[in-house]
Amino acid sequence: MRFAPAFGIALMLPAFAQAQQQPAPQPPAPQPPSAWEQLPHMQLERQFAGPLQDTVIQRWRDPVDGTVCYIYLPITAPHTPPTASGYVQYGASTIGSISCAAAARPAAASPTNPPAKK
């Protein structure tokens, strides 16, 4: 039984060599753009300090119809790393509020409202 320990080591070597020859895992393939990335964007017109520290109020305009929206939000908001679908999750906390108004339309000239003279 002098050779028993050497025999056991010889049996483990092929498995060890095979484990080291396994290819390295491939990095995940880049994900296609999400639907969110393909949506149209509003135009940020202005940003104001919010009423609470580390909050802001932003004025955004829809470039198509001129609608103006004011968004109140914190400067930072914790979220998860991107999920398999590419989206992040903000959890149950409220991260902001929004208020929108249709664009102001110029008043039509009428007999009761004549145009201004130059």
Side-chain angles (χ1 to χ4, degrees):
M1 287 295 216
R2 256 177 42 186
F3 300 104
F7 183 72
I9 293 173
L11 286 177
M12 292 189 320
L13 284 176
F16 179 74
Q18 187 180 22
Q20 287 199 353
Q21 292 176 359
Q22 301 237 346
Q26 296 291 327
Q31 297 186 3
S34 66
W36 181 85
E37 293 169 336
Q38 297 175 1
L39 293 172
H41 293 265
M42 294 180 80
Q43 298 169 336
L44 177 62
E45 291 187 339
R46 199 132 185 229
Q47 183 165 281
F48 307 92
L52 300 176
Q53 182 175 345
D54 299 330
T55 62
V56 293
I57 299 170
Q58 296 177 336
R59 181 173 66 209
W60 292 83
R61 184 174 301 274
D62 181 332
V64 175
D65 67 5
T67 299
V68 175
C69 296
Y70 288 89
I71 304 173
Y72 173 63
L73 65 161
I75 291 175
T76 63
H79 59 78
T80 65
T83 62
S85 64
Y87 295 104
V88 298
Q89 295 177 349
Y90 288 98
S93 62
T94 303
I95 63 166
S97 62
I98 186 168
S99 178
C100 297
R105 293 190 174 96
S110 66
T112 59
N113 188 10
K117 294 184 180 182
K118 292 185 177 182

